[in-house]
Amino acid sequence: RVREAVVSTQSTGNMVSFEDVDDELENEVREECSKYGSVKKVVVYQEAQSDAEDAEVVVKLFVQFHKTSECEVAVKRLHGRWFGGRAIDASLYDEQKFLRDDLSG
């Protein structure tokens, strides 16, 4: 059974800001997370916090590993680390939600 690890940040800000999202981000996340196991998929999800044109956009990073144990190692190693002046809040994400592309949780 595959489990996914969600890499996001604490309420003080996102791991990356909307302005930081570029063509290289997915590869950078894959490379960093490959230190903890075999990465199956990386998803960069941008979520507007309201329907307003100038709404804040939260960037969430989802990393799917081939093994549950790899996810657990990634969460332990990433949670609490600092990236770009922001603390990472890494946690496991519901597998069924991830597979249904329900990334708003």
Side-chain angles (χ1 to χ4, degrees):
R1 177 173 154 98
V2 177
R3 295 284 306 265
E4 286 71 41
V6 177
V7 180
S8 61
T9 60
Q10 299 173 355
S11 58
T12 55
N14 302 316
M15 179 174 165
V16 294
S17 69
F18 176 72
E19 293 81 18
D20 295 329
V21 176
D22 60 22
D23 294 337
E24 297 300 315
L25 181 59
E26 184 178 322
N27 288 332
E28 291 168 357
V29 171
R30 179 180 299 277
E31 184 177 318
E32 178 64 26
C33 289
S34 291
K35 297 175 183 176
Y36 313 117
S38 178
V39 174
K40 184 175 182 180
K41 184 177 182 181
V42 173
V43 176
V44 178
Y45 179 68
Q46 300 176 54
E47 179 179 72
Q49 298 303 289
S50 74
D51 292 332
E53 194 172 308
D54 62 345
E56 176 188 10
V57 176
V58 172
V59 179
K60 297 178 181 180
L61 303 173
F62 295 81
V63 182
Q64 181 181 25
F65 289 88
H66 286 275
K67 296 179 182 176
T68 301
S69 59
E70 295 170 336
C71 282
E72 292 166 348
V73 168
V75 168
K76 283 182 183 177
R77 298 274 170 81
L78 292 170
H79 187 76
R81 275 185 52 190
W82 288 83
F83 180 84
R86 299 175 174 106
I88 299 171
D89 177 13
S91 62
L92 295 177
Y93 193 73
D94 183 271
E95 179 180 14
Q96 293 308 310
K97 284 184 176 182
F98 181 82
L99 296 174
R100 289 191 313 266
D101 290 326
D102 178 357
L103 306 178
S104 60

